[in-house]
């Protein structure tokens, strides 16, 4: 009887241990790269309606700055940017869906903050776009400074950093405002467009994009004031270092390529270059790609299919786009901005 009871207790203990290990595995499964390769595509969590950054057309074809970055990750892995599949996610569900592995990466307008890394057990590999909260309002209000917004009725989206930033700004400046919140971005835009509020607060880049969707875009102005730091970055799960490194260095490769003058148009010439920095970038010297679990020419694949950082910026949100957002802080560090990538060496 004692032997039976002892065996039963051991069996129960083993079952509990196996269950506990299963929970740990579920929380900290770090095989994103292997699953992605086996699946044959990168699953990208995307904003479903932000012109210039992430938006599908009526045929399901996605375009935008964030879309192109996810395609760059697919190009690095598969040598095929079309191996990126886009999953539309609202702000309120994006982190949960990444945690549950519905997507491999969030490539949508998401602000990097300490609380998000700690609370959601996520990691922001590198800043893709430096932004900040600003305000859009009807030109008829004749306001050109955020300090004149006292008493405004402000539309904001729930689940975003905008809520706290607006509250902090108005409290710091002893001003009052009324908040009009909506969970879905489409509803926030509709509320503003129909006059349920007289001010729209969001990332400045987002306001440039969403203004295109208003009934009369020309009737609205975006203030120059920026009231917060909003470093927008791709997001991955923590404790998945192999995957994080690929996402991080894909972005850094694109930034380095712009600095070195390597583009989608001259990549073949770059592959023949004898300049050490260019050779390391395109993979004709060193084994950096292999250390990432990729091929030597991983960065050359990215540049050939998607382009360098400047190309990605200009065609989607810069001077070659409808948005025409100035590079500003997103200019390279040696051209007056703060975009800066560690060297590949």
């Amino acid at each position: 009887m004692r032997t039976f009871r002892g065996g039963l207790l051991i069996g129960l203990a083993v079952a509990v241990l196996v269950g506990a290990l299963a929970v740990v595995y579920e929380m900290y499964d770090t095989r994103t790269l292997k699953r992605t390769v086996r699946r044959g595509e990168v699953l990208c969590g995307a904003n479903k309606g932000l012109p210039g950054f992430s938006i599908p057309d009526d045929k399901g074809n996605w375009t935008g700055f964030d879309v192109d970055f996810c395609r760059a990750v697919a190009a690095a892995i598969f040598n095929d940017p079309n191996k990126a599949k886009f999953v539309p996610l609202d702000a309120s569900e994006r982190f949960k869906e990444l945690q549950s592995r519905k997507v491999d990466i969030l490539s949508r307008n998401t602000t990097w903050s300490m609380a998000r890394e700690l609370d959601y057990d996520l990691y922001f590999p590198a800043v893709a776009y430096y932004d900040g909260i600003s305000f859009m309002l009807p030109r008829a209000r004749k306001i050109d400074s955020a300090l004149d917004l006292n008493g405004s009725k402000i539309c904001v989206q729930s689940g975003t950093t905008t809520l706290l930033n607006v509250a902090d700004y108005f409290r710091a400046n002893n001003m009052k405002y009324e908040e009009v919140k909506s969970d879905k971005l489409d509803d926030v835009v509709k509320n503003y467009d129909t006059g349920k509020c007289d001010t729209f607060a969001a990332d400045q880049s987002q306001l440039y994009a969403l203004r295109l969707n208003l009934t009369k875009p020309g009737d609205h102005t975006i203030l120059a004031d920026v009231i917060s730091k909003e470093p927008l970055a791709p997001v991955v799960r923590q404790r998945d270092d192999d995957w994080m490194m690929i996402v991080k260095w894909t972005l850094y490769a694109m930034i380095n390529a712009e600095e070195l003058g390597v583009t989608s148009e001259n990549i073949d010439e770059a592959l023949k270059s004898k300049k050490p920095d260019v050779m390391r970038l395109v993979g004709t010297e060193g084994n950096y790609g292999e250390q990432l679990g990729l091929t030597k020419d991983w960065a050359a694949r990215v540049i050939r299919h998607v382009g360098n950082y400047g190309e990605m910026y200009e065609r989607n949100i810069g001077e070659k786009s409808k948005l025409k957002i100035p590079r500003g802080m997103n200019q390279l560090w040696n051209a007056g901005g703060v975009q800066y990538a560690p060297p590949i060496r």
Side-chain angles (χ1 to χ4, degrees):
M1 181 65 72
R2 289 180 179 175
T3 301
F4 173 76
R5 287 179 178 174
L8 180 61
L9 290 173
I10 292 173
L12 289 172
V14 170
V16 170
L17 178 59
V18 170
L21 289 174
V23 171
V24 172
Y25 174 81
E26 181 70 18
M27 291 176 63
Y28 302 129
D29 179 6
T30 60
R31 301 187 302 170
T32 300
L33 178 58
K34 290 182 180 179
R35 286 197 308 273
T36 299
V37 171
R38 185 168 60 248
R39 186 194 308 125
E41 60 186 4
V42 181
L43 300 181
C44 311
N47 190 317
K48 60 183 177 181
L50 190 59
F53 287 88
S54 176
I55 190 169
D57 62 19
D58 54 4
K59 295 182 180 179
N61 299 312
W62 289 79
T63 58
F65 179 89
D66 295 329
V67 167
D68 274 356
F69 178 68
C70 206
R71 287 192 174 127
V73 174
I77 299 169
F78 299 109
N79 197 24
D80 185 352
N82 296 317
K83 293 291 186 179
K85 179 180 178 181
F86 299 95
V87 180
L89 296 174
D90 287 328
S92 59
E93 63 182 347
R94 54 186 161 171
F95 300 127
K96 178 182 177 182
E97 298 295 12
L98 178 59
Q99 288 173 318
S100 67
R101 295 197 292 279
K102 181 176 180 179
V103 296
D104 302 316
I105 177 177
L106 290 182
S107 188
R108 70 185 306 286
N109 53 311
T110 302
T111 298
W112 183 353
S113 73
M114 182 177 182
R116 284 176 168 174
E117 285 198 326
L118 296 177
D119 294 347
Y120 296 104
D121 211 24
L122 301 174
Y123 191 81
F124 295 72
V127 178
Y129 187 94
Y130 290 93
D131 209 346
I133 299 299
S134 188
F135 302 94
M136 178 164 63
L137 58 150
R139 293 184 186 277
R141 291 189 67 189
K142 297 182 179 180
I143 290 176
D144 56 13
S145 170
L147 292 173
D148 295 326
L149 291 175
N150 188 37
S152 293
K153 197 171 184 179
I154 302 178
C155 281
V156 291
Q157 184 181 11
S158 303
T160 66
T161 56
T162 305
L163 297 168
L164 180 60
N165 284 317
V166 170
D168 285 350
Y169 180 78
F170 276 77
R171 183 172 65 173
N173 289 286
N174 296 313
M175 300 191 302
K176 296 184 180 299
Y177 72 103
E178 182 179 344
E179 191 177 80
V180 181
K181 289 192 297 185
S182 297
D183 290 335
K184 295 186 178 299
L185 183 59
D186 289 346
D187 292 336
V188 182
V189 176
K190 183 177 180 181
N191 287 341
Y192 175 74
D193 205 20
T194 57
K196 291 185 179 179
C197 54
D198 54 32
T199 307
F200 190 162
D203 294 347
Q204 192 174 64
S205 63
Q206 191 175 33
L207 294 176
Y208 273 95
L210 296 175
R211 182 167 60 175
L212 299 176
N213 295 335
L214 300 179
T215 304
K216 296 181 178 179
D219 289 353
H220 303 268
T221 187
I222 298 169
L223 298 183
D225 304 68
V226 174
I227 67 167
S228 70
K229 294 187 293 184
E230 304 293 329
L232 307 183
V235 194
V236 298
R237 291 177 289 275
Q238 286 188 15
R239 302 172 184 85
D240 201 348
D241 292 349
D242 292 347
W243 184 245
M244 178 271 293
M245 290 289 283
I246 288 173
V247 173
K248 174 168 68 175
W249 281 99
T250 295
L251 178 59
Y252 285 157
M254 298 176 82
I255 295 172
N256 275 317
E258 183 182 10
E259 183 177 338
L260 293 170
V262 180
T263 71
S264 59
E265 295 182 354
N266 66 19
I267 184 62
D268 288 329
E269 287 76 16
L271 286 165
K272 302 172 187 176
S273 175
K274 297 303 180 183
K275 294 180 179 179
D277 285 342
V278 174
M279 293 174 69
R280 287 190 288 265
L281 172 70
V282 300
T284 53
E285 180 175 291
N287 64 339
Y288 304 102
E290 292 163 323
Q291 289 180 297
L292 288 173
L294 305 175
T295 59
K296 285 182 176 291
D297 66 340
W298 66 281
R301 292 175 169 188
V302 170
I303 299 161
R304 182 183 302 281
H305 292 296
V306 182
N308 64 34
Y309 182 88
E311 290 178 280
M312 180 172 70
Y313 188 103
E314 291 304 325
R315 69 169 168 264
N316 288 299
I317 56 180
E319 288 302 315
K320 296 181 180 179
S321 74
K322 293 182 180 179
L323 274 66
K324 300 189 183 305
I325 303 176
R327 281 286 292 263
M329 288 189 295
N330 292 290
Q331 186 59 266
L332 295 181
W333 67 279
N334 57 3
V338 298
Q339 272 295 4
Y340 187 104
I344 297 176
R345 65 173 61 172

